[in-house]
Amino acid sequence: MGTTSPESLQDARSEQETAASAERPAPEPADEAPRERPPAAQFILYLQGPAYLNALRQLTLWTHHVLLPVYGREVTSASPWCSRWWEHPEAVAQLHGLWLAWGELTGPESDMSGPARWHRDFLPSVMDSLRDPQGPFAGCKPGAHRPKEKPAVDVLDPFAPPSSA
């Protein structure tokens, strides 16, 4: 594992803040009443097209420049990691949730206990789930991605109203 410099952490934070500020309205003049807090970022599974790709890029930058250099432990068969994690929808969803919590709990408006809460409440459960031998990276090895088959369903929408054909 390489070392993480304060500059790379700051660069990742800057990328995250830039992405968040792109969705925020421009600041108001000082003589007007402040607006309500800007809307929260949308969860990545609800995004499509360019919005999804932009969110995935931001998540990738944070994962590669903050999460893995600091919290990425050795890869073993008992604790797998996929070098193509973005091809596992479960990993993308869990890491995006972890990233959103990071932004909320370590950002400029968070209180001083935010990072401790992120470490306690979010990091362990996500990393344990992702790195579980039966988790989304089961069968993946360093440099060897293994796509997962989706569980089969007999009927896509079994309770849909009958079609009038």
Side-chain angles (χ1 to χ4, degrees), residues 66-122:
V66 177
L67 184 70
L68 292 178
V70 177
Y71 304 103
R73 296 179 181 167
E74 183 177 4
V75 176
T76 66
S77 60
S79 187
W81 181 265
C82 184
S83 59
R84 299 178 65 88
W85 59 265
W86 56 89
E87 293 185 16
H88 297 271
E90 179 183 349
V92 170
Q94 288 198 48
L95 289 169
H96 193 255
L98 188 64
W99 179 61
L100 292 174
W102 167 274
E104 183 175 311
L105 293 171
T106 66
E109 295 181 12
S110 63
D111 62 40
M112 290 176 31
S113 64
R117 286 182 300 174
W118 183 80
H119 284 96
R120 181 193 67 205
D121 297 341
F122 299 96

Side-chain angles (χ1 to χ4, degrees), residues 35-156:
R35 292 184 192 173
E36 289 184 28
R37 191 173 185 178
Q42 195 170 17
F43 187 53
I44 198 164
L45 294 183
Y46 297 127
L47 302 175
Q48 296 178 356
Y52 176 83
L53 293 175
N54 182 51
L56 186 58
R57 178 175 182 267
Q58 297 302 317
L59 176 61
T60 300
L61 290 171
W62 177 79
T63 300
H64 293 179
H65 294 282
V66 177
L67 184 70
L68 292 178
V70 177
Y71 304 103
R73 296 179 181 167
E74 183 177 4
V75 176
T76 66
S77 60
S79 187
W81 181 265
C82 184
S83 59
R84 299 178 65 88
W85 59 265
W86 56 89
E87 293 185 16
H88 297 271
E90 179 183 349
V92 170
Q94 288 198 48
L95 289 169
H96 193 255
L98 188 64
W99 179 61
L100 292 174
W102 167 274
E104 183 175 311
L105 293 171
T106 66
E109 295 181 12
S110 63
D111 62 40
M112 290 176 31
S113 64
R117 286 182 300 174
W118 183 80
H119 284 96
R120 181 193 67 205
D121 297 341
F122 299 96
L123 179 65
S125 61
V126 169
M127 294 304 278
D128 289 349
S129 173
L130 291 177
R131 309 246 1 227
D132 186 277
Q134 300 302 312
F137 303 144
C140 293
K141 295 175 176 54
H145 166 70
R146 191 188 108 195
K148 305 298 177 282
E149 288 188 33
K150 296 176 186 171
V153 294
D154 292 334
V155 180
L156 189 57

